[in-house]
Amino acid sequence: MSRKYVIINANEVDSVNFSQVGEMSPDTIRYSVDGSKTFVKFDSDTTPSFLEGKTQYTHSEILAILATDEWTSDEPPGE
């Protein structure tokens, strides 16, 4: 079993069953710089139903995505 990551639109957060993913709540997930996207991770071989049909990424793939300007800002926090 390997950890998988799925990017979702921010407006889909309400559909996340937090008992099936590694995040605790909408308040503990990371959002893209513009706030339009987030991602969740899960360790099950079975994809949670609310994530079915969405692209799954490996750890190295998600790290590469999160290093882009869409996810990482050069601005100091709070600015």
Side-chain angles (χ1 to χ4, degrees), residues 11-70:
N11 63 2
E12 296 176 274
V13 170
D14 289 342
S15 71
V16 173
N17 180 342
F18 285 95
S19 68
Q20 295 181 320
V21 296
E23 290 69 34
M24 303 301 288
S25 75
D27 299 325
T28 61
I29 54 180
R30 178 176 169 182
Y31 289 88
S32 58
V33 172
D34 68 3
S36 68
K37 296 177 186 175
T38 187
F39 69 96
V40 294
K41 59 184 172 284
F42 63 97
D43 290 322
S44 173
D45 286 331
T46 304
T47 302
S49 60
F50 59 89
L51 297 175
E52 285 182 7
K54 298 191 178 297
T55 303
Q56 297 180 12
Y57 301 96
T58 65
H59 186 250
S60 59
E61 289 171 332
I62 199 72
L63 287 178
I65 291 167
L66 297 178
T68 65
D69 290 343
E70 184 177 13

